Amino acid sequence: MSAVGRSFRLAQRAFLSPGTASSYQQKRLIGDLPVKPNKYIEDWGTYRENVEYTFKWNAQSCTKIVVFAILVPVAIYSVAVKEMDHKDAAYGRPKRDFLGDASESKAR
């Protein structure tokens, strides 16, 4: 069987009616690997696909957004800058200006 014929048949299956598609069992190219659906994984996948409909703004979600969108990046940035300042001081290099640090700005 040629690769062109196989891909044509796969493309044809994509346009089947919903009733036909749900009754069709997927064939795999590497052998017969039956898939046993797990209820919990299917529920989790459904939730992940529809998260925009189930999300609720409350104190817990706002706290998570502030922590992971603001505090964690600021903490990572400050640790990286302190590490570079420490290495610059250890090797006798002048202190660098990161993201427009106002305390070390130089007049031009």
Side-chain angles (χ1 to χ4, degrees), residues 8-95:
F8 179 72
R9 274 195 302 284
L10 289 174
Q12 248 181 341
R13 288 183 198 141
F15 296 107
L16 295 175
S17 67
T20 308
S22 64
S23 64
Y24 175 75
Q25 182 173 351
Q26 181 180 6
K27 291 185 181 177
R28 300 182 184 266
L29 301 176
I30 58 170
D32 186 22
L33 298 175
V35 176
K36 298 176 185 171
N38 185 334
K39 176 188 180 298
Y40 304 106
I41 293 175
E42 296 297 327
D43 289 345
W44 178 76
T46 302
Y47 174 74
R48 293 275 298 184
E49 290 173 359
N50 299 313
V51 73
E52 65 270 12
Y53 304 117
T54 59
F55 181 78
K56 292 187 170 101
W57 287 99
N58 55 24
Q60 185 180 11
S61 63
C62 289
T63 303
K64 286 181 183 179
I65 290 170
V66 167
V67 167
F68 291 108
I70 298 173
L71 297 180
V72 170
V74 167
I76 291 171
Y77 173 77
S78 63
V79 167
V81 168
K82 286 180 184 178
E83 174 67 20
M84 286 187 242
D85 287 343
H86 176 72
K87 290 295 182 186
D88 287 344
Y91 289 106
R93 293 186 291 237
K95 191 173 182 180

